[in-house]
Amino acid sequence: MLRLSHFISNRDEPPRSGAYLDDIDPATGELFSEVPDGDERDVDMAVEAAARAFPGWSGTSAAERSRLLLRLADLIEERLDEFVLNESMDNGKPVALARGLDIPRAAANLRFFATAILHWSSASHATDAAVAGGGRAINYTLHTPRGVAGCISPWNLPLYLFTWKIAPALATGNTVVAKPSELTPVTAYLLGLAARDAGLPPGVLNIVHGLGAKVGAAIVAHPRVPAISFTGGTRTGREIARVAGPMFKKLSLELGGKNPTIVFADADLKQAVPGCVRASFANQGEVCLCGERLLVQRSVLDAFLPRFVERTRALRVGDPLEPTTDQGAIVSKAHLDKIRSYLALAREEGGEILCGGEAPDRLPPRCEHGAFLEPTVITGLAPDCRVNQEEIFGPVVSVIPFDDEDEAIAIANGTPYGLSASVWTSDLTRAHRVAARLEAGTVWINTWLLRDLRVPFGGVKASGVGREGGEDALRFFTESKNVCVGLG
Ligand code: NDP
């Protein structure tokens, strides 16, 4: 069993409290690692180290920062098996998914920003008619790193989201104090070791483990951390904004969703059915971009629904370490209880469970005490009931029929959230029209979760503030300064 430590100034640091939290393998219910129960003293030490390292790192050439981050990406790939196994056991996700998506994407995040920084240019404006003051001038924009960046990430895509924040922060010359979720800390711990081996100078990347209410809150409130990049739930995001807003910190908040998947009658069902199954249940439905509401045009419901349910039933739920498993364990018993409470609520609200709703009948002995739930399809619920309004974040989808395009858009937009949506149709004109009217930061048409790292990423309404993709991320982690040179 692994006992983790904080990673501060390239050293393994035990928690000042001397206390550790249990990190449980959700597939077995057994202790997987011990996580430092960090507090504000550990955060202070990490911020101190990061502040000390900042002048050196921000003064290091972009080419050298890039080289070190590319080396870190290489090390993740060289240690792929170790990262995959630990991510799967920590989180409950199938090894196939960790190997095919999460860990390669972590390396890709580092490579993307390590190379983006080499090609980033800033604007220059030749001024020949100043609004006030007269005269000619050249204006240029300087992008300067902000200092110590605070990066806080959730448990669902542990290393993928951790690196999505850390990579642009480091590439632009900031130093970092980061906190992974205490439910899934192990790959972040391994990343610290890899960063040291890659040659990152001490203090450039610091990782503090522990509870959000202690470690996360201390990072957010720390006066020497001017920028916070957060991914997690909407309620936590609101609390972070409450604390950081009056301190005028730069905030990027990537929050929850209640995403609609919309199937029009003219959709190609051969593509739409498997596409919708994936959008509903990938990673046990624990992806912020999963579609929890499946809106199906009434005229195609009879053709669509039996095929959708049949394909859902065919998903293999079981041991995450089996290479053929499609659905692994739910991240924790507590989260499974929360999901189950929504299934009880669905029954109370008059819904019918078409499939799933229970733990699988047969599990290998190793997984008998794990947190499992079969993928679940619900029908018969009104669009405005709680199950169709609140984020469940599990393998549960609610099917909502609609008659026409206007009704589909009204239902799709009728929640407090606006993270993403997907639309299945063969009518290209309709696809563009609907995409423009949907209140969402990302709209997929005839696909789902296809990600180009250059595009803006983020939500509207209660799904967040700010954009994290490509150049938006470089801008977030830098201050833009205008320099105006008078030419007489
Ligand atoms: P939480 O908001 O509970 O936690 C996210 C992170 O914030 C964790 O590291 C947590 O620590 C920490 N935290 C908790 N309280 C505070 C606080 N007061 N101050 C600072 N940090 C704090 O989310 P979950 O981990 O449960 O993740 C699931 C949520 O994340 C879902 O709502 C999902 O939609 C959202 N999400 C959004 C994405 C997006 O891109 N928009 C992508 C992925 C997920 P700890 O858990 O260790 O206590």
Side-chain angles (χ1 to χ4, degrees):
M1 200 261 314
L2 200 57
R3 172 171 273 203
L4 309 186
S5 44
H6 301 312
F7 180 74
I8 299 175
S9 256
N10 280 5
R11 283 195 303 270
D12 297 339
E13 291 285 349
R16 287 287 182 89
S17 65
Y20 290 82
L21 303 161
D22 288 348
D23 171 28
I24 304 294
D25 174 346
T28 63
E30 282 166 15
L31 188 62
F32 179 51
S33 80
E34 288 183 334
V35 199
D37 184 6
D39 61 28
E40 71 280 2
R41 291 170 293 177
D42 305 308
V43 171
D44 279 346
M45 188 198 266
V47 172
E48 180 61 38
R52 255 197 326 270
F54 178 68
W57 183 244
S58 57
T60 300
S61 69
E64 177 63 2
R65 293 199 301 264
S66 173
R67 188 187 71 77
L68 291 169
L69 293 176
L70 289 172
R71 178 70 192 127
L72 180 55
D74 288 347
L75 283 181
I76 291 175
E77 279 177 353
E78 285 169 24
R79 300 172 187 181
L80 184 73
D81 289 344
E82 188 185 13
F83 274 103
V84 166
L85 184 66
N86 280 285
E87 175 114 324
S88 175
M89 292 179 76
D90 213 7
N91 176 271
K93 74 176 64 213
V95 273
L97 194 65
R99 186 175 295 280
L101 176 73
D102 289 54
I103 306 302
R105 172 61 195 275
N109 288 339
L110 287 157
R111 289 212 173 95
F112 178 81
F113 288 110
T115 49
I117 200 64
L118 299 177
H119 304 282
W120 199 27
S121 55
S122 61
S124 156
H125 302 87
T127 304
D128 64 358
V131 175
R136 296 161 67 83
I138 298 284
N139 286 275
Y140 61 88
T141 307
L142 276 182
H143 297 296
T144 52
R146 296 190 185 282
V148 179
C151 299
I152 302 174
S153 60
W155 47 260
N156 62 323
L157 302 164
L159 193 65
Y160 168 143
L161 289 174
F162 201 60
T163 49
W164 181 234
K165 300 181 170 308
I166 287 170
L170 294 178
T172 45
N174 300 274
T175 53
V176 167
V177 175
K179 187 196 104 60
S181 167
E182 113 272 353
L183 293 177
T184 54
V186 180
T187 47
Y189 169 77
L190 295 176
L191 184 76
L193 305 185
R196 181 164 58 202
D197 295 345
L200 254 70
V204 167
L205 172 64
N206 305 278
I207 300 168
V208 184
H209 296 277
L211 295 168
K214 285 203 269 184
V215 172
I219 294 173
V220 171
H222 203 293
R224 294 175 76 188
V225 179
I228 303 289
S229 173
F230 170 79
T231 298
T234 293
R235 190 183 305 162
T236 315
R238 191 172 287 124
E239 169 62 13
I240 289 174
R242 188 188 67 75
V243 174
M247 298 174 84
F248 306 113
K249 296 196 177 201
K250 305 297 178 253
L251 270 187
S252 172
L253 301 174
E254 297 289 342
L255 308 177
K258 190 70 185 174
N259 311 308
T261 305
I262 308 174
V263 181
F264 285 99
D266 58 16
D268 174 358
L269 294 192
K270 279 198 299 300
Q271 280 185 35
V273 170
C276 292
V277 169
R278 205 172 141 251
S280 305
F281 301 117
N283 199 42
Q284 300 74 242
E286 296 166 338
V287 179
C288 53
L289 304 163
C290 274
E292 293 197 0
R293 296 177 299 149
L294 180 51
L295 281 52
V296 184
Q297 194 154 20
R298 215 177 288 275
S299 54
V300 78
L301 195 61
D302 286 347
F304 175 88
L305 199 53
R307 289 161 78 172
F308 179 77
V309 170
E310 187 190 338
R311 215 174 166 108
T312 300
R313 283 207 175 102
L315 291 171
R316 287 158 301 202
V317 186
D319 189 341
L321 297 186
E322 277 297 324
T324 54
T325 294
D326 298 310
Q327 299 270 294
I330 304 298
V331 72
S332 68
K333 277 262 156 58
H335 191 54
L336 177 60
D337 289 346
K338 179 191 152 190
I339 297 168
R340 282 182 173 283
S341 76
Y342 277 102
L343 300 184
L345 184 62
R347 291 187 184 95
E348 270 172 42
E349 288 180 325
E352 184 191 350
I353 293 183
L354 294 187
C355 68
E358 302 294 338
D361 287 341
R362 275 176 299 130
L363 282 167
R366 191 181 101 76
C367 296
E368 266 168 10
H369 302 291
F372 289 87
L373 182 69
E374 290 201 316
T376 304
V377 181
I378 307 173
T379 56
L381 291 175
D384 60 353
C385 72
R386 278 185 57 202
V387 169
N388 281 330
Q389 290 288 315
E390 297 174 17
E391 186 185 46
I392 300 172
F393 214 54
V396 179
V397 70
S398 170
V399 179
I400 309 173
F402 66 88
D403 286 314
D404 58 24
E405 195 176 302
D406 283 344
E407 191 188 6
I409 287 168
I411 296 171
N413 290 342
T415 77
Y417 295 103
L419 188 56
S420 69
S422 51
V423 179
W424 295 83
T425 176
S426 347
D427 179 342
L428 201 57
T429 310
R430 185 213 298 277
H432 291 298
R433 193 169 58 228
V434 170
R437 293 177 68 194
L438 286 169
E439 294 168 357
T442 298
V443 178
W444 282 289
I445 294 167
N446 296 328
T447 186
W448 179 75
L449 203 64
L450 201 63
R451 292 275 294 116
D452 181 322
L453 303 190
R454 293 169 297 183
V455 305
F457 180 80
V460 300
K461 304 196 291 189
S463 289
V465 176
R467 290 292 178 270
E468 290 203 339
E471 220 171 281
D472 289 317
L474 301 180
R475 286 221 178 80
F476 173 75
F477 284 111
T478 52
E479 201 72 74
S480 298
K481 179 189 293 180
N482 173 243
V483 180
C484 178
V485 185
L487 299 179

